[in-house]
Amino acid sequence: MSDPAYNFAYLDEQTKRMIRRAILKGIAIPGYQVPFASREMPMPYGWGTGGVQVSAACLVPEDTMKVIDQGADDTTNAVSIRKFFENTAGVATTEKTREATVIQTRHRIPEEPLTEDQILVYQVPIPEPLRFLEPRETETRKMHALEEYGLMHVKLYEDIAQHGNIATAYAYPVQVEGRYVMDPSPIPKFDNPKLEMAAIQLFGAGREQRIYAIPPYSKVVSLDFEDYPFEASKADHPCDLCGAEHTYLDEVIIDDAGGRMFVCSDTDYCGERQADGHRGRLSPKLEAAQ
Amino acid sequence: MPQDTLTGGFTEAPQQSARAFRSLMNALARPGTIEEITGGTGPAPLSAAAATTLLTLCDGEMPIHLAGGHDTDAIRQWIAFHIGAPICARNQAMFAVGTWQALTPITDFPIGTPEYPDRSTTLIVEMDTLSNTGATLTGPGILTTAQLSLPETAAFQQNRLLFPMGVDCYFTAGTRIAALPRSTKVEAH
Amino acid sequence: MYVAVKGGERAIDNAHDWLAEERRGPTDVPELSVDQIKSQMTLAVNRVMAEGSLYDPDLAALAIKQARGDLIEAIFLIRAYRTTLPRLGHSRPVETDKMACDRRISATFKDAPGGQVLGPTFDYTHRLLDFKLAADGETPEAATADPLQGDMPRITEFLNRDGLIQTEEPSDETPRDMTREPMEYPAGRPLRLQALTRGDEGFVLGMAYSTQRGYGRNHPFVGELRIGKVAVEMDIPELGFAVDIGEITVTECETVNQFHGSKTEPPQFTRGYGLVFGQTERKAISMALVDRALRWEELGEDNLGAPAQDEEFVLSHADNIQATGFLEHIKLPHYVDFQSELELVRKIRSEAQASTLKEAAE
């Protein structure tokens, strides 16, 4: 049940209207960062206040919400945010990607393809993809206005000259619908191809006071070069628990000798596969059989 | 004060506005999709869909332009009582409500600036009916193509050329609503 | 063994219980009351009110108690609470020349009408630990005098009368509100002052200090520093006049800075301004110095590239709640991103190794 001391989904109605207007502008201008008067939330800036405000503005009482951090439902930040919405909005929560209508995420896109009936809300620390090339907001705003993205290409090309590779492994910049260069939040670049999806994607950066969006089926291209095409890379292993070869993996150190195992970072996806009988190198069942 | 000034607002604002917003978001994110939107009613000729949209998105900080037959004392008083938004001229409007005929030419409305394309007007176009026929839509939010009974095509094609600036449009009829963001390409069927 | 990250929810609950226990400390020591904090830790309360942007000594004291004395954490509690309060209206500007001053000093004149009022200050104390306090020593009663009647004239007004200091033109324009609108640059002076008054004391102090050491030097004198109570008045449209809704203590500082002149204007002094909730004079003086440094453009000075002259730099880093949140968020799991970097480094290394081997073979 929701706590009656607070309004439905915590925020007051005027704040929600302001956030909702920003979300709609973001959808109308895919990839453009809409300024909004982010409010102080009862969790620290940098811990998902932007995502929380966007989710709070979107939730209806009938929603079922899922919250993940690093792909997992049981990480501390995910638990804390899920509890917040259980208490303030009284919505049902789930760990099942398929059952969720609103999914708030930090750093991952679920492996299971999302549907038209779902909304994916990202927590964003630094929304400006040009920020580390040009720290000034006044300058980066001009660069977006003039579609002047040369600096970004120069940076990526310098990487290639120095390392033989583009040295960006996460928060890999994309161009949305051929116009705005956008930071997809710190998801591993493995997830970039999934940014073209059926669900509505909303991005909230609370501390930096920006909201942006990707409407369903929008064209989202990871920046690259003809001779150095973008590559969605992952650890070159199958999952040690479910055997999946196509999922993003966490590397876990398992003993003092430095032994490792690789497991799906999407805990719900991995669990479902195991329930379906898929097995990996270190599956408990296999261990028992040995 | 006429009776319909005091009625027609949300009775359960947090829940009703949340559901209405989802309809508004789904409509805008999937141009051409027709959604149901209910919760508010205003004085005629304001449709329930337009009234609910204003209740959901507007407040004292959002100047509204009432075009043509929608600029009535009854509607002004209803907005003053339930929303508190100032009524303004076309070139100041963040929202504008009226029939297509009353709203055109849409080139007088703010379209934002290159730095801040979001500082633009959202038009709420009151229609007799809405159907998935007529103009063909392509662009963000649309898998292949969509169809929507737009009042015309040329003005929307002109608006698309301004992208990322431009106005965004909602079309309302009774309790139904559809949208055409500035990003959508429109072709006559 | 698989290092499971399951059980997060229970671990969090347990951590919270432990935190509550640590906050209370040993139960054989009497618990601090909110009243004790409010009346004996007043400068901490003042800082929490100033940076929390909420004038309420009781809530600030409660926040300090809950935060175990961590003032930034207490400020955060106040800010988060503040967000949930409805805005009923705004007050008229406070009239600080009508202030009932507890303290009022000027460094630019030996004496002035109204006099130098030292008030309760550490300034002339010797910073020696007072072991009597550890033994619960009695405090001697301070001497009292009758309060001065009438307004307390502003020192800078004496200079202004002679045209020796730049006139600040009053404006009826409604300033933008940084708590209701996203920050936009250039922000302009009203927004700058808002950001500085709620900015982190340490950050604003550091910025001010940097101007004194030569990074955008502007030779400030404390024209006047005053601390005391001012009335807060609010226009009530239904009544057609303003009513007194309460009283707050504020610290105001006006600096008199290096003269400045141009081809069209004779040299005159310029000002920096600081106004902060409570007795918070270090903060108010710092604010005035940084305000003055940020006015370089309006006063036709050169941009020396000093950090304190850079509006976007100062304003976007002054807020300790934003700063601490973002800084501390790196404690959260980042293993997905780290993994992607690990893969990339491995790939680049193996490619480099392969090409070295190839070269060696050739």
Side-chain angles (χ1 to χ4, degrees), chain A residues 40 45 74 136-137 165 186, chain C residues 6-7 79 310 312 325 337:
Chain A
E40 263 120 354
Y45 282 121
D74 204 25
R136 272 162 210 288
E137 158 72 13
N165 273 283
Chain C
K6 284 277 169 193
R79 290 269 192 95
D310 186 331
E312 187 172 337
D337 293 346

Side-chain angles (χ1 to χ4, degrees), chain C residues 23-181:
Chain C
R23 184 200 62 70
R24 174 59 182 89
T27 47
D28 55 343
V29 177
E31 178 155 12
L32 262 179
S33 74
V34 169
D35 263 346
Q36 284 173 327
I37 296 170
K38 185 176 82 162
S39 51
Q40 294 175 43
M41 294 283 138
T42 44
L43 299 188
V45 167
N46 287 341
R47 180 172 173 193
V48 170
M49 294 196 301
E51 294 171 35
S53 282
L54 184 71
Y55 195 96
D56 189 323
D58 292 289
L59 290 179
L62 172 63
I64 291 168
K65 176 173 176 172
Q66 187 180 331
R68 305 172 64 192
D70 178 338
L71 295 190
I72 291 185
E73 182 67 26
I75 291 161
F76 182 19
L77 290 168
I78 291 298
R79 290 269 192 95
Y81 178 74
R82 182 190 188 281
T83 312
T84 65
L85 300 176
R87 164 160 312 206
L88 302 175
H90 55 263
S91 75
R92 307 185 83 162
V94 291
E95 310 242 17
T96 50
D97 47 353
K98 295 190 165 44
M99 180 187 288
C101 293
D102 290 334
R103 174 162 163 78
R104 186 270 199 139
I105 54 166
S106 169
T108 49
F109 294 96
K110 185 172 182 188
D111 206 352
Q116 305 268 16
V117 181
L118 301 188
T121 175
F122 293 124
D123 282 4
Y124 323 105
T125 63
H126 293 145
R127 268 52 169 215
L128 302 169
L129 274 178
D130 182 355
F131 292 101
K132 286 202 300 292
L133 289 177
D136 295 327
E138 288 288 305
T139 312
E141 213 168 291
T144 55
D146 290 332
L148 292 171
Q149 298 301 317
D151 295 354
M152 184 66 95
R154 234 181 260 279
I155 303 281
T156 47
E157 282 315 302
F158 299 116
L159 291 169
N160 200 24
R161 235 175 271 166
D162 302 331
L164 287 173
I165 194 163
Q166 181 213 18
T167 305
E168 299 288 353
E169 296 297 344
S171 161
D172 282 334
E173 209 176 306
T174 303
R176 293 177 55 194
D177 181 343
M178 66 175 291
T179 68
R180 314 294 286 185
E181 293 171 54

Side-chain angles (χ1 to χ4, degrees), chain A residues 10 37 40 43 45-47 70 74 83 106 136-138 165 186 207 209 235 248 250-251 254 260, chain C residues 1 6-7 13 79 83 180 183 310 312 325-326 329 333-337 339-340 343 346-347 351:
Chain A
Y10 186 75
E40 263 120 354
M43 63 269 297
Y45 282 121
W47 299 57
Q70 314 293 300
D74 204 25
K83 266 193 156 172
R106 178 169 171 264
R136 272 162 210 288
E137 158 72 13
T138 37
N165 273 283
R207 194 178 38 78
Q209 307 190 310
Y248 193 76
D250 297 334
E251 183 173 333
I254 50 174
R260 299 181 186 209
Chain C
M1 183 206 64
K6 284 277 169 193
D13 287 342
R79 290 269 192 95
T83 312
R180 314 294 286 185
M183 191 58 96
D310 186 331
E312 187 172 337
F326 197 52
H329 104 280
H334 280 77
Y335 56 79
V336 161
D337 293 346
Q339 185 64 36
S340 64
E343 291 307 322
R346 280 182 184 140
K347 183 180 171 208
E351 282 173 6

Side-chain angles (χ1 to χ4, degrees), chain C residues 311-334:
Chain C
E311 179 187 84
E312 187 172 337
F313 179 82
V314 173
L315 267 50
S316 45
H317 301 114
D319 191 283
N320 51 23
I321 303 308
Q322 291 177 353
T324 199
F326 197 52
L327 181 105
E328 296 196 47
H329 104 280
I330 61 176
K331 290 183 287 190
L332 287 175
H334 280 77

